[in-house]
Amino acid sequence: MRGASAAPAGIYVLSQKSAVKPFIEVLSGHRQKVPPVWMMRQAGRYLPEYRELRAKAGSFLDLCFTPEHAAEVTLQPIRRFNFDAAIIFSDILVVPYALGRSVRFEAGEGPRLDPLDTPEQAAALARHADFTKLEPVYEALRRVKRELAPEIALIGFCGAPWTVATYMVAGQGTPDQAPARMMAYRHPEAFAEIIDVLVENSIQYLLGQLKAGADCLQIFDTWAGVLPPREFERWSIDPAKRIVAGVRAQVPDAKIIGFPRGAGALLPAYVEATGVNAVSIDWAAEPSLIRERVQNRVAVQGNLDPLALIAGGAALDRAVDDVLANYAAGRLIFNLGHGIQPETPIAHVEQMLERVRAYRG
């Protein structure tokens, strides 16, 4: 890894205290001439080393909750690509699991939970998670922290309450998460109880990740884009604002990235209300809106189309250049507009990295 010397294992020329992390510098307000880069889902099925370990681990949750496996998977893309940040390998549904909900992952079908779709079920939801169930995540963070070169940042994360609630209500992902949207319309008080539980327990979960060694945090609101403006404010913006405030009440300088995917023109309101240090943007974001009303306030993370990464060649070069032309004059963390797809060729990731790292703005 970058920064490692010929000293004994675990010892680096740079100390953790003195090392500059370009990724954290951007979150702290300092533009970098070469944008730091990582990819959402960078530890995943496009890597043969991941597929090999996944086959040995058993279930997906076994992979998440076995610290040596989760740490190894987190480090695999760092070893291969020298990204500027590692993100702990876990899942957004570990909080419902810690709340006592049944969570399982079925091959080819994604997550399955017992649906929580009536006011009576919402009232019976546990209010406090059993965080001993999440100790393996914290241990994985500690293991990764010990292994990372000091200039590489470590990201912790949680799912946003709205997105996590959509899976809890429906018991699975659906094309437009209609079951949760319907419950929020028909039974807003009951739905708010679910959101409140997720807000409070997500705060504690994120604080535990910071204590275990995470340098910053990301809140993934994958399904924010299905909400109309009034509902977006209530179910996406307000819970994120409460999480940011709750974390910073204990860790005032905590660096937090929000990702309300598909927020579009509602993104400036999200940034203003939540107090995040950066936002991830999807590939459909309108560049002038982002530059003029978002990037003038916070750092931007994104927003290469994952399909361009699959396409490769001249199309990939053009897509990378577009992201840099649109956003690299300001504070930018180069990333994808969503997670990398399993069929992505490794050579295309290398092509993307070479082009980004050749940039000198």
Side-chain angles (χ1 to χ4, degrees), residues 327-348:
Y327 306 116
R331 285 190 290 146
L332 172 66
I333 297 165
F334 194 97
N335 205 311
L336 308 183
H338 198 223
I340 185 172
Q341 297 295 310
E343 61 269 34
T344 305
I346 287 172
H348 295 183

Side-chain angles (χ1 to χ4, degrees), residues 195-276:
I195 294 293
D196 290 346
V197 168
L198 291 171
V199 166
E200 293 306 315
N201 287 281
S202 296
I203 290 169
Q204 297 308 313
Y205 178 46
L206 292 175
L207 287 168
Q209 292 183 65
L210 289 173
K211 184 177 180 181
D215 296 303
C216 67
L217 305 166
Q218 179 154 322
I219 302 170
F220 286 90
D221 207 351
T222 308
W223 287 102
V226 302
L227 292 168
R230 182 191 297 272
E231 307 306 308
F232 181 82
E233 181 178 359
R234 181 169 188 183
W235 304 125
S236 182
I237 290 179
D238 183 66
K241 176 181 178 180
R242 290 160 60 194
I243 289 174
V244 172
V247 169
R248 291 196 179 137
Q250 300 295 321
V251 184
D253 63 345
K255 301 294 185 287
I256 303 174
I257 304 165
F259 184 25
R261 183 187 177 203
L266 301 175
L267 198 55
Y270 179 97
V271 167
E272 182 175 358
T274 60
V276 293

Side-chain angles (χ1 to χ4, degrees), residues 70-342:
E72 170 61 21
V73 168
T74 302
L75 290 164
Q76 285 173 348
I78 305 302
R79 295 194 189 104
R80 186 182 278 271
F81 301 115
N82 288 331
F83 288 122
D84 293 285
I87 185 166
I88 193 65
F89 184 78
S90 186
D91 191 82
I92 65 170
L93 297 180
V94 297
V95 169
Y97 173 79
L99 287 166
R101 306 301 299 173
S102 171
V103 179
R104 54 206 179 274
F105 290 82
E106 299 181 7
E109 297 186 10
R112 292 291 185 270
L113 300 86
D114 294 336
L116 186 72
D117 54 3
T118 68
E120 293 75 20
Q121 290 172 329
L125 178 65
R127 277 5 190 199
H128 303 287
D130 177 2
F131 285 99
T132 62
K133 290 184 175 181
L134 302 183
E135 175 57 32
V137 179
Y138 302 143
E139 174 58 21
L141 280 158
R142 290 189 287 266
R143 287 172 180 247
V144 172
K145 189 72 170 184
R146 290 194 295 266
E147 294 291 328
L148 278 181
E151 70 271 23
I152 298 175
L154 177 56
I155 307 168
F157 73 91
C158 73
W162 161 252
T163 287
V164 174
T166 65
Y167 290 98
M168 293 176 71
V169 169
Q172 61 184 350
T174 66
D176 57 2
Q177 303 300 65
R181 292 161 61 199
M182 188 64 74
M183 185 177 183
Y185 283 130
R186 287 178 170 167
H187 307 292
E189 295 83 5
F191 191 75
E193 289 185 38
I194 299 172
I195 294 293
D196 290 346
V197 168
L198 291 171
V199 166
E200 293 306 315
N201 287 281
S202 296
I203 290 169
Q204 297 308 313
Y205 178 46
L206 292 175
L207 287 168
Q209 292 183 65
L210 289 173
K211 184 177 180 181
D215 296 303
C216 67
L217 305 166
Q218 179 154 322
I219 302 170
F220 286 90
D221 207 351
T222 308
W223 287 102
V226 302
L227 292 168
R230 182 191 297 272
E231 307 306 308
F232 181 82
E233 181 178 359
R234 181 169 188 183
W235 304 125
S236 182
I237 290 179
D238 183 66
K241 176 181 178 180
R242 290 160 60 194
I243 289 174
V244 172
V247 169
R248 291 196 179 137
Q250 300 295 321
V251 184
D253 63 345
K255 301 294 185 287
I256 303 174
I257 304 165
F259 184 25
R261 183 187 177 203
L266 301 175
L267 198 55
Y270 179 97
V271 167
E272 182 175 358
T274 60
V276 293
N277 302 96
V279 284
S280 266
I281 54 174
D282 59 67
W283 59 88
E286 203 288 308
S288 62
L289 170 76
I290 299 301
R291 287 194 302 267
E292 295 166 13
R293 299 184 58 199
V294 175
Q295 200 179 23
N296 63 334
R297 301 176 63 97
V298 298
V300 165
Q301 179 174 271
N303 67 329
L304 185 75
D305 186 345
L307 293 187
L309 191 59
I310 295 174
L316 175 56
D317 285 345
R318 286 193 299 270
V320 169
D321 290 348
D322 282 346
V323 175
L324 295 171
N326 284 327
Y327 306 116
R331 285 190 290 146
L332 172 66
I333 297 165
F334 194 97
N335 205 311
L336 308 183
H338 198 223
I340 185 172
Q341 297 295 310

